[in-house]
Amino acid sequence: MKKLSKQQIEQINELLQRGQALPEEYKNLLFESKKEYELVYGGKEREEDIIAETMAVPLQPVKTLGKDDNNNGWVNKLIFGDNLQVLKTLYNDPEVKGKVKLIYIDPPFATKQDFRGSKEQKAYQDKIIGAQFLEFLRKRLILLRELLADDGTIYIHLDQKKGHYVKILLDEIFGEGNFQNEIAWCYREGINSKLRWNRKHDQIFFYSKSDSFPFNYKNVLAPYAEGTLEKYKYKDEKGRYRLMGRGIVDSPISSARDINPKWEKTHPELVFRHYLGEGTFPVDYWNIDIINQAAIERIDYPTQKPEALLERIIKASSNEGDIILDAFVGSGTTLAVAEKLKRRWVGIDSGKLAIYTTQKRMFNLKAEIGNKGKAITPRPFVIYNAGLYDYKLIKELPWNEYRDFALKLFQCRDEEHKVSGVKINGYLGEDHVLVFQWHDGEEIVLDRGFIDDLHKTLGKKVGQKFFIIAPASTVVFLEDYIEKDSTKYYLLRIPYSIIEEIHEHGFEAIKQPVSEADVNDVVDAVGFDFIQTPDVECEYKIRKADKKTLFDGDKEAVIKIKKFKSNVLSRKPVEFKNLETLSMVMVDYNFNGEVFDIDQYWFAESLEKDGFEIRFDPKKVEKQMMIIYMDIFGNEKREIKTPKDFK
């Protein structure tokens, strides 16, 4: 810190006593900058604040899938939720923090822009949106760095829209000296333009966390160019290709010929041998085709990346048994390739479509890259909810697990202690927290009498705030707190999305897409919510196929969605029009009774154009099908139908 003048000190004291903010110019006087230069934009927060203030949300296991396998206690994780909150949860997990050897992320390249106005207004709005996107990504990169092992590496996949801005942020977060490569992924397909040079590559930035990191170059040697082996005519006793030339000044390629062994014995110093290795050294431009319409590995998911791309990254920068993390899991390519290459993995995505697509992909794995070869069964993996919970499962937890989950929901420290003989479960900041044991042989309620009795025992020993976590159904009064003398007893209700008194940011739900264009939108959720099954009414019928039908046959099965209404928990009820909150419909035509294996999906945008009708070939359903109707908040209504239900 620079030495302050007497006048500056007096001015600072005066402003602080008045409770006023210090002028901007005092920033450099009071705090030394860590960086010689940095990217400056509106809304950029301190790293320390991001790590400290990001809200963690507990992981709720939903289902365990895969084949039993001894994996040293580790279980692979597929997590539905906002990745920032999940990353903060993993930051607090000693099994993950500092243990991840390789991170690959393919974040949204830029936010969707709906702004309309003059050119100047649009330019200004673009800057605002751009700054928000950069901070969105920066927060996640900071937490990803904390999860990375000291010898770990990270690959960030971008395009030309924001790549150069993100490069500066990566230099700040990981250190400019830890920048290893800018890789150009080159491909031939894509949109063609007559207005400018056609863009046929993406950028992938490769950073390490320290000077020590694995790079298995032998695993990613490139094949030799066509015709190379013909030049290397000769093989030695070990089967290695070689060029031979007479004399050390001869070019081994232009003067290649066999040499008389007797002459070689008498003139060994004049014989030049050039051996061909297993392949050429890897370079920073990769010619890998994008997935075309007819590719075997194509699973009809927007932004799907080829397995060959991830194979190269994972083989080069990790070893068997290492933990691989993808925080924008999308179609699940990273996880599928990690599974094939016997790595452990963690995948996170805020889209239910991504979770179901990845789940299906894991159960249709083929041993070879490109999803070819024999079928393989994945090792066990658990699907988790993070930020959107099934309250029924929470209520069924044993007391200790329920207590632990409840404390984590509201960011409380788990530190049991006693006040006046009363067992207190933890702290929220510096204030006491009690988890209400509402089920002890029989359900009991939390009423004003309970607060009265608690206050008589605790008196003034608990300060101005005291928090009680309890199921909303057990609380018989409506207020957020009951005041006794100088103490306010706050009720943290479950379920209850979030309480403004506790967190600086209001609740922001995870939003699901309503069109394919929305799939790669930025999602920045805050807090947690509970699953509330939407109300759905449909007609299921068989009718004569019309001209729009895309299959052969004179009959088509039709699902006509007549009513769709979300049941949103809120202190301030929100009214939605019929069908307004529908996100998408997904189907499994041959549901096996256990795992939903997604076969087809329709976004609300396309359904609206078709009069909210889903049409398909009735021959696809053999015994039973499962239909999932999902709202924009991630809530689902599931129905099982047989061919007899379509009339």
Side-chain angles (χ1 to χ4, degrees), residues 10 16 59 110 117 131 175 279 306 403 476 512 541 569 595 601 618 636:
E10 288 176 352
L16 290 175
L59 305 184
R403 169 193 169 281
V476 299
Q512 301 301 305
K541 52 191 176 183
L569 287 171
V595 179
Y601 60 87
E636 300 175 1

Side-chain angles (χ1 to χ4, degrees), residues 369-424:
I369 299 301
N371 220 34
K372 304 173 184 177
K374 67 177 184 179
I376 57 174
T377 303
R379 292 165 295 170
F381 65 97
V382 178
I383 297 177
Y384 295 91
N385 283 343
L388 183 64
Y389 302 107
D390 186 335
Y391 184 54
K392 181 182 178 183
L393 294 179
I394 296 173
K395 289 179 67 175
E396 294 172 354
L397 289 173
W399 163 249
N400 285 336
E401 293 180 33
Y402 170 82
R403 169 193 169 281
D404 179 62
F405 191 90
L407 289 170
K408 287 178 179 177
L409 271 181
F410 292 98
Q411 310 293 283
C412 303
R413 296 199 311 278
D414 185 354
E415 292 183 22
E416 282 204 345
H417 58 285
K418 288 188 176 182
V419 178
S420 298
V422 177
K423 183 187 287 186
I424 310 297

Side-chain angles (χ1 to χ4, degrees), residues 38 41-51 53-54 135 138-139 142 172 504-505:
E38 63 177 306
Y41 54 84
K44 189 174 183 181
E45 299 179 26
R46 294 194 318 152
E47 285 193 12
E48 298 85 350
D49 294 336
I50 290 169
I51 294 173
E53 295 177 7
T54 295
E135 188 64 0
R138 176 173 169 266
K139 288 178 179 180
I142 288 168
E172 294 177 14
E504 293 183 2
H505 306 288

Side-chain angles (χ1 to χ4, degrees), residues 132-145:
Q132 291 170 348
F133 170 77
L134 290 174
E135 188 64 0
F136 163 89
L137 187 55
R138 176 173 169 266
K139 288 178 179 180
R140 286 149 179 83
L141 288 168
I142 288 168
L143 283 165
L144 286 168
R145 179 196 62 199

